Amino acid sequence: MSADISQSPVPTLTEGAWALLHDLRLRGFRPAKGTPAEEELTAAGLVLVRGVNLALAPAGRQAHAAWARLTPDSEEEVLAKTTYERFLVFNVEFLRICTDWQLKPGNQPNDHSDAAYDFKILERLDRLDERAGALVEAIGKAVSRFADYRGRLTEALDKISDDRAWLASPRCDSYHTVWMQLHEDLLSAVGVNRADEAQPE
């Protein structure tokens, strides 16, 4: 089911403010730094300051949904829909990789003492990344806000061998973190609510 945002007006904001609003939508919150973009969004009632962090206000979530939704039936939206449908198939595989990275057979926590076991999982991730890479690059060339995802995924992948946190930790821009942000961005682009998301068979 698509989100009905056709009646939602898109406010006039600077490019920096939109970039910050988009980042907040994908991350959930970020530290407040008192930048002009933050002040612009706060004055517009689109973000809230909660302690030391910024978070989206309901109006900000609505404004972002209207801004992020690609024009229906445009070339960009057609590509985004195709990308999204293929991504869902890759996502099933990726989530299985993450589960196996955290749990060994028998639901035993993976303490990463078995180098051969971890290596096999990282090989699976390498193969998935290679197949998904072309998909991510293509949408990045067509829709500018997707342009950074390929590089961010590659950077995280390259760091895993030195620090296991770069596969699935929520405390850094791990492969999992970037992958989930890409997922959310695709949902926004095609106007699909995550709760209504169909799973590939």
Side-chain angles (χ1 to χ4, degrees):
M1 182 181 298
S2 295
D4 183 9
I5 58 173
S6 58
Q7 304 303 314
S8 302
V10 179
T12 301
L13 298 171
T14 62
E15 185 176 337
W18 277 122
L20 175 57
L21 191 71
H22 185 52
D23 190 64
L24 277 171
R25 172 63 183 83
L26 297 178
R27 295 182 184 276
F29 66 91
R30 58 181 286 169
K33 299 179 180 178
T35 65
E38 291 178 16
E39 294 175 2
E40 182 180 353
L41 293 175
T42 303
L46 302 179
V47 302
L48 303 170
V49 179
R50 293 179 172 171
V52 298
N53 291 320
L54 287 178
L56 281 183
R61 182 174 290 272
Q62 185 178 29
H64 177 271
W67 171 83
R69 179 71 168 95
L70 297 177
T71 303
D73 300 322
S74 64
E75 290 184 9
E76 292 81 5
E77 194 219 25
V78 171
L79 175 60
K81 282 185 173 180
T82 301
T83 302
Y84 169 66
E85 289 166 359
R86 292 180 61 193
F87 176 86
L88 287 181
V89 177
F90 288 135
N91 192 50
V92 172
E93 185 175 348
F94 178 64
L95 294 179
R96 190 175 299 122
I97 287 172
C98 289
T99 297
D100 292 345
W101 181 251
Q102 295 167 342
L103 295 173
K104 299 182 75 171
N107 285 330
Q108 296 299 313
N110 181 17
D111 62 5
H112 302 288
S113 60
D114 186 340
Y117 177 85
D118 281 2
F119 182 75
K120 288 179 181 179
I121 294 175
L122 294 179
E123 279 191 320
R124 288 161 55 195
L125 180 60
D126 281 338
R127 291 194 296 269
L128 172 63
D129 179 80
E130 185 175 350
R131 286 182 286 121
L135 191 71
V136 179
E137 286 179 1
I139 189 67
K141 291 177 181 177
V143 183
S144 61
R145 75 175 199 253
F146 288 94
D148 292 341
Y149 284 108
R150 186 68 193 113
R152 293 174 65 203
L153 288 170
T154 299
E155 182 179 358
L157 188 67
D158 290 344
K159 291 180 177 180
I160 295 172
S161 58
D162 293 326
D163 186 347
R164 291 188 296 268
W166 284 91
L167 197 159
S169 174
R171 294 186 293 275
C172 63
D173 262 10
S174 66
Y175 200 97
H176 182 275
T177 295
V178 179
W179 184 273
M180 291 299 104
Q181 289 177 8
L182 173 58
H183 191 175
E184 287 293 335
D185 214 345
L186 287 170
L187 286 166
S188 297
V190 299
V192 174
N193 292 313
R194 182 181 281 275
D196 300 322
E197 186 172 66
Q199 296 302 318
E201 297 180 359

